[in-house]
C-alpha cells in the first residue's frame, strides 16, 4: 500500500499597494464623515440631503484615486488595477519594468502600463566603505517583489509572440465618480 502525497499548493497571488494610500483614504474618509455628520445635524433636512454631496464627493475621489488602485502578482502574470482601467498582463507579455517615477510595465503589444498603486520609493543617500556618499534611487519592497516574481517565472522569448494584454474599464469606479460628481453639483446648487 503506497501513501498518496498531495500535490504542492498552487502559488497564491499577493496584492500590493503602498501604506500611504491607506492613510490618505482613512484621513479623507474620516474628515468627510465628520463634515457629513455636521451637515446632517445643522442643516434643514431638505438642504442637508443636497449638501451631503459636498462631503461625500472627496471621500469617493480619494477611494478611486488611492484606495482602489492595487497590483496583484499571480502565477501567470500581473493584474494592475488603476483608477479607471484594469490590465491583466501575462508574464510573457512583459518586456521590462521601469521604476523611474513608479512601476511601469513595458509590454510587447503596446505602450507601457503605469501601476498607480506602486509609486517610486524616491532617492536616498548611499554610503559604501572607502567611497563618498552619493544619492541613488531606492527600490520599494513592493516593486522589489514584482521584480522577484518576474525573475521566478520568466517566460521564454518564443512565448512572447502570442501574449495579449487584456484591458477593461473599471465601470463601478466610473459610475461611482459620476454619481458623486452629480451629487456634488447638487450640493453646490443648494449653497
Amino acid at each position: 500500500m503506497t501513501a498518496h502525497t498531495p500535490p504542492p499548493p498552487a502559488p497564491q497571488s499577493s496584492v500590493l499597494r503602498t501604506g500611504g494610500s491607506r492613510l490618505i483614504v482613512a484621513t479623507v474618509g474620516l474628515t468627510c464623515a465628520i463634515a457629513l455628520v455636521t451637515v446632517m445635524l445643522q442643516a434643514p433636512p431638505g438642504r442637508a440631503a443636497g449638501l451631503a454631496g459636498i462631503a461625500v464627493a472627496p471621500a469617493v475621489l480619494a477611494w478611486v484615486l488611492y484606495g482602489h488602485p492595487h497590483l496583484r502578482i499571480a502565477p501567470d502574470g500581473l493584474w494592475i488595477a488603476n483608477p479607471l482601467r484594469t490590465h491583466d498582463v501575462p508574464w510573457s507579455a512583459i518586456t521590462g519594468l521601469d521604476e523611474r517615477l513608479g512601476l511601469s510595465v513595458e509590454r510587447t503589444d503596446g505602450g507601457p502600463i503605469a501601476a498607480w498603486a506602486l509609486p517610486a520609493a524616491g532617492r536616498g543617500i548611499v554610503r559604501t566603505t572607502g567611497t563618498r556618499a552619493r544619492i541613488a534611487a531606492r527600490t520599494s519592497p513592493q516593486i522589489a517583489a514584482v521584480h522577484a516574481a518576474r525573475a521566478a517565472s520568466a517566460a521564454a522569448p518564443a512565448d512572447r509572440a502570442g501574449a495579449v494584454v487584456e484591458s477593461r474599464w473599471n465601470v463601478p469606479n466610473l459610475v461611482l465618480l459620476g454619481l458623486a460628481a452629480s451629487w456634488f453639483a447638487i450640493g453646490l446648487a443648494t449653497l
Side-chain angles (χ1 to χ4, degrees):
M1 187 169 178
T2 60
H4 175 57
T5 56
Q12 295 184 356
S13 62
S14 58
V15 177
L16 304 176
R17 59 171 52 100
T18 61
S21 64
R22 292 180 184 152
L23 179 63
I24 290 170
V25 171
T27 303
V28 172
L30 181 61
T31 304
C32 291
I34 291 168
L36 182 61
V37 169
T38 303
V39 165
M40 292 299 172
L41 292 176
Q42 294 184 356
R47 191 164 183 229
L51 291 174
I54 295 174
V56 170
V60 169
L61 190 61
W63 165 254
V64 169
L65 294 178
Y66 295 100
H68 172 73
H70 60 280
L71 182 138
R72 185 177 303 142
I73 299 174
D76 56 343
L78 299 176
W79 194 75
I80 302 170
N82 286 333
L84 302 180
R85 294 189 51 90
T86 298
H87 310 277
D88 190 7
V89 187
W91 291 119
S92 58
I94 298 173
T95 60
L97 299 172
D98 182 8
E99 58 182 282
R100 285 177 285 175
L101 300 175
L103 183 67
S104 183
V105 176
E106 298 169 359
R107 58 193 179 141
T108 57
D109 64 344
I113 298 171
W116 280 52
L118 301 181
R123 302 197 177 276
I125 297 174
V126 177
R127 296 175 195 256
T128 56
T129 308
T131 64
R132 296 181 58 186
R134 62 183 176 84
I135 297 176
R138 292 184 293 187
T139 299
S140 71
Q142 294 92 350
I143 293 176
V146 173
H147 281 291
R150 180 173 180 243
S153 59
D159 295 341
R160 295 178 189 227
V164 177
V165 175
E166 293 181 24
S167 298
R168 60 197 156 279
W169 289 99
N170 289 334
V171 175
N173 283 359
L174 293 168
V175 169
L176 197 59
L177 283 172
L179 291 173
S182 300
W183 198 5
F184 184 81
I186 291 168
L188 288 180
T190 61
L191 283 178

